[in-house]
Amino acid sequence: MEQLRRSDYDFELPKELIAQTPLSDRSSSRLLVLHKQTGEYEHRTFRDIKEYLHPGDCLVLNNTKVIPARLMGVKADTGAVIEVLLLKRRSDDVWETLVKPGKKARPGTVISFGDGLITGTVTEIVEEGNRLIRFTYEGVWEEALDRLGEMPLPPYITHKLEDKNRYQTVYAKYEGSAAAPTAGLHFTKDLLAELEEAGIELAYVTLHVGLGTFRPVKEENLLDHHMHSEFYEITEEAAQKINCAKQSGNRVVCVGTTSCRTIESAADENGQIKACSGDTEIFIYPGYRFKVLDALITNFHLPESTLIMLVSALAGREQVLAAYREAVKERYRFFSFGDAMLIL
């Protein structure tokens, strides 16, 4: 059971190292480079990433867009305050949601947002106590949501986000996420253009990040943990770029764990990818054999999270935890708005 216990992925993190705000220049964050074969580190700046990528390498980026999914409303009958977090669109106007406090949101409950600009009716209670809510609204849904909704920042970020766009990647395109694919927050349009000019292929895939990304692993035995499903899509163009890199002996470098989970979900046993879409519940932890991914750009993750387990599957648990200790010692910034890691 070594490496399959949740507690094997714990580490000490001083609270002051949890980044509360993004840097003014996205690409100026720090970059810890971990060479997985030797365990050696380098301390660099994120824009130095281009020195580690070679012509013909394929950089895989998740172009999902975060929706302002947190809505504050009141019960129509009592005026009690209710918080609703949009998790997944079930049909045009029906969403699976997380409601606080849940006890006040029984089926039939009507919730008013923005003095009735949006109205929600709880229709059903589904797994884990989530609520299905049918929404009615004035005008266009996206515009109403943009007016009333707030970015669903992780619970460890207590500061208010001044600019909503700083919790989006510069290449965010398709709306549907309840959380940002945060490894991509370090890229600027200029840096991406430089990489393309240097002969690096950019392949865009889509995975809509669900709230499960914040949910801690509760079971001590990892084999008992159930991942939440998330929708992904890979286009024909992206599949061809990824396959071409592999066939040419070049590397596939994923930006973030979401891009990694997308391509590993879609690949066949030979590491080939076809254009496809669907839902994935893939859980990657040590013992997993990567079919496509060669290297990973990622942020620093929460203790005992599925994300630190994925990173450990790539570089080894002990090496990853040693790298995290090094990052703490060097006062790196952690989590969503924090610094980055490159695992080669």
Side-chain angles (χ1 to χ4, degrees):
M1 289 302 294
E2 176 66 15
Q3 300 200 355
L4 292 180
R5 295 181 310 218
R6 181 194 66 201
S7 52
D8 287 335
Y9 297 87
D10 196 11
F11 64 91
E12 290 292 322
L13 179 69
K15 270 194 174 168
E16 67 269 19
L17 295 185
I18 299 174
Q20 292 294 324
T21 53
L23 298 178
S24 55
D25 172 13
R26 290 173 183 260
S27 62
S28 66
S29 55
R30 296 167 75 187
L31 179 70
L32 190 154
V33 182
L34 171 60
H35 297 270
K36 64 179 187 283
Q37 298 302 331
T38 63
E40 292 176 359
Y41 318 117
E42 295 177 69
H43 298 288
R44 304 295 298 269
T45 300
F46 191 81
R47 67 176 70 90
D48 299 334
I49 200 87
K50 53 194 175 211
E51 296 179 26
Y52 296 91
L53 300 173
H54 310 139
D57 284 349
C58 182
L59 197 64
V60 183
L61 305 107
N62 181 7
N63 61 10
T64 188
K65 193 170 188 178
V66 186
I67 59 173
R70 178 171 278 125
L71 288 164
M72 300 303 296
V74 294
K75 278 185 71 175
D77 55 355
T78 66
V81 174
I82 287 192
E83 178 183 343
V84 172
L85 191 62
L86 306 177
L87 299 180
K88 185 184 289 188
R89 197 175 210 151
R90 290 291 195 94
S91 61
D92 281 352
D93 294 323
V94 176
W95 285 77
E96 183 176 341
T97 68
L98 181 66
V99 179
K100 293 181 188 173
K103 289 176 186 172
K104 294 184 178 175
R106 295 186 177 88
T109 299
V110 177
I111 307 166
S112 174
F113 307 93
D115 294 325
L117 180 64
I118 298 176
T119 301
T121 303
V122 180
T123 61
E124 192 180 335
I125 299 176
V126 292
E127 64 175 321
E128 301 204 357
N130 293 345
R131 266 64 174 171
L132 296 188
I133 297 181
R134 181 178 299 280
F135 291 97
T136 55
Y137 43 88
E138 296 175 14
V140 179
W141 167 249
E142 285 76 14
E143 290 174 4
L145 187 61
D146 197 50
R147 276 182 61 186
L148 297 183
E150 299 173 16
M151 282 299 184
L153 294 179
Y156 49 76
I157 293 177
T158 55
H159 293 207
K160 187 169 173 60
L161 183 63
E162 298 300 328
D163 178 4
K164 279 184 183 179
N165 287 326
R166 288 315 310 273
Y167 196 56
Q168 302 279 18
T169 62
V170 296
Y171 47 83
K173 189 172 183 180
Y174 299 110
E175 293 194 333
S177 276
T182 54
L185 296 178
H186 304 282
F187 285 94
T188 62
K189 288 183 176 176
D190 286 346
L191 180 54
L192 289 169
E194 285 177 40
L195 293 175
E196 280 197 292
E197 284 167 21
I200 290 132
E201 291 286 349
L202 305 184
Y204 292 97
V205 300
T206 306
L207 181 137
H208 292 323
V209 188
L211 199 67
T213 193
F214 300 137
R215 284 212 166 104
V217 177
K218 293 177 180 172
E219 293 79 9
E220 176 63 6
N221 181 349
L222 302 194
L223 301 180
D224 294 332
H225 177 69
H226 173 67
M227 291 287 282
H228 289 74
S229 73
E230 295 167 315
F231 174 82
Y232 72 91
E233 185 165 18
I234 298 178
T235 62
E236 184 66 45
E237 181 188 4
Q240 286 181 1
K241 286 182 176 181
I242 294 165
N243 290 337
C244 183
K246 293 302 279 188
Q247 287 158 5
S248 306
N250 295 306
R251 295 172 303 171
V252 173
V253 182
C254 284
V255 177
T257 56
T258 61
S259 301
C260 164
R261 292 177 64 241
T262 302
I263 64 171
E264 291 294 320
S265 295
D268 65 20
E269 287 310 308
N270 300 314
Q272 285 286 297
I273 288 180
K274 291 179 181 172
C276 60
S277 64
D279 292 305
T280 180
E281 296 179 350
I282 191 170
F283 180 17
I284 296 174
Y285 51 84
Y288 179 85
R289 295 191 65 166
F290 289 89
K291 294 176 281 190
V292 191
L293 174 138
D294 298 298
L296 179 67
I297 298 166
T298 187
N299 278 21
F300 292 92
H301 303 296
L302 289 160
E304 299 186 346
S305 64
T306 60
L307 306 180
I308 194 171
M309 294 164 191
L310 183 154
V311 173
S312 297
L314 179 62
R317 179 181 68 95
E318 291 181 8
Q319 279 195 162
V320 166
L321 291 177
Y324 273 50
R325 287 193 293 272
E326 174 76 3
V328 168
K329 181 166 76 78
E330 296 294 326
R331 311 293 290 175
Y332 274 67
R333 301 163 81 247
F334 274 67
F335 306 157
S336 293
F337 288 139
D339 295 317
M341 239 181 135
L342 169 63
I343 301 174
L344 290 169

